[in-house]
Amino acid sequence: TLDQVDLQNDFVNGSLAVNDSMVAVQNTNELRKKFDVVFLTRDWHPADHCSFWDNHPGAEMFSVKKLKIPDGNEVDQVMWPRHCVQGSNGAKFHPDVKILSTDHVIDKGMNTQVDSYSGFFDNMKGHETQLRNKLRALDVSEVYVVGLAYDFCVGSTAIDAATTGFNSYLVEDCAKAVAEDSKKDMNRRLKENGVVQIQSSQVPMAPK
């Protein structure tokens, strides 16, 4: 299956736009022709979400702040610009993204107190989305992950695909990163977790 991660307006040309994001969109549209089953994950945040810098008076955008989570522990949280608020235009899939009525949409990031990069779990692994169960129900064994951003939500989804028992691939020319340093760190984590990094030209056609 193809898992298109967070190809939403705010990440393409909105409040948290990723450089060269339209290249990821265009390459993904071409790649999806090889797949019969396509999933789309999306950030679907409440307005008071913990990751929004303007919900923390005095915080600086893109800084890292210690936050207390529901289990009492503290975690490092990036202070992101407000993005992908439920029902907003920024949360909609970008109009150039090809979407079919048969595609499966997975919402994430709905817990006010915990951020969610991966399409499988929140960042603390306290909540699981429907993604794994739906993939298992469809007898999927291989997951090809694309979208925005490579160094956060795409990479995290690919890692969780691998650690939950799927053969996981990150299609590099269909994903773009926020920053080079975090991309390098994500590449290390991808290798450590057995995610295969490939180009879209290497992805086989789905068997008919």
Side-chain angles (χ1 to χ4, degrees), residues 158-159 162-163 184-197:
I159 288 169
T163 58
K184 288 179 181 177
D185 182 60
M186 179 56 72
N187 282 335
R188 176 187 57 78
R189 292 174 56 205
L190 292 168
K191 289 180 172 64
E192 288 175 352
N193 286 279
V195 176
V196 180
Q197 294 160 267

Side-chain angles (χ1 to χ4, degrees), residues 21-206:
S21 56
M22 282 306 300
V23 175
V25 170
Q26 292 159 1
N27 289 349
T28 295
N29 283 341
E30 189 64 26
L31 176 63
R32 72 161 291 152
K33 296 175 183 177
K34 296 183 176 183
F35 290 88
D36 294 327
V37 179
V38 175
F39 280 76
L40 300 98
T41 69
R42 63 180 179 182
D43 267 5
W44 198 243
H45 294 313
D48 58 349
H49 195 254
C50 66
S51 73
F52 297 162
W53 75 282
D54 55 348
N55 285 333
H56 302 275
E60 292 186 19
M61 195 181 298
F62 300 115
S63 65
V64 176
K65 182 179 175 66
K66 290 279 187 187
L67 293 185
K68 187 165 287 188
I69 58 174
D71 67 5
N73 289 317
E74 285 192 339
V75 298
D76 289 334
Q77 175 63 54
V78 177
M79 296 286 97
W80 297 112
R82 181 170 292 268
H83 64 278
C84 299
V85 175
Q86 295 172 8
S88 68
N89 184 66
K92 293 178 180 177
F93 292 115
H94 190 272
D96 287 355
V97 177
K98 184 176 181 182
I99 301 174
L100 301 180
S101 60
T102 52
D103 292 348
H104 305 263
V105 176
I106 301 291
D107 294 334
K108 62 186 179 72
M110 295 177 286
N111 184 340
T112 297
Q113 297 176 285
V114 182
D115 208 358
S116 297
Y117 293 157
S118 169
F120 286 89
F121 303 96
D122 68 38
N123 290 1
M124 297 299 104
K125 298 293 194 292
H127 170 77
E128 182 173 3
T129 71
Q130 296 178 314
L131 183 54
R132 173 163 55 168
N133 287 339
K134 287 193 172 187
L135 292 171
R136 293 294 185 208
L138 292 167
D139 202 27
V140 168
S141 60
E142 296 188 334
V143 178
Y144 293 83
V145 187
V146 302
L148 303 170
Y150 184 116
D151 40 346
F152 290 94
C153 297
V154 176
S156 297
T157 299
I159 288 169
D160 281 347
T163 58
T164 51
F166 298 96
N167 296 321
S168 179
Y169 303 84
L170 193 156
V171 188
E172 294 183 308
D173 57 321
C174 295
K176 295 297 176 181
V178 171
E180 197 59 37
D181 285 349
S182 46
K183 182 179 180 180
K184 288 179 181 177
D185 182 60
M186 179 56 72
N187 282 335
R188 176 187 57 78
R189 292 174 56 205
L190 292 168
K191 289 180 172 64
E192 288 175 352
N193 286 279
V195 176
V196 180
Q197 294 160 267
I198 62 172
Q199 301 299 309
S200 56
S201 59
Q202 298 173 275
V203 178
M205 291 286 293

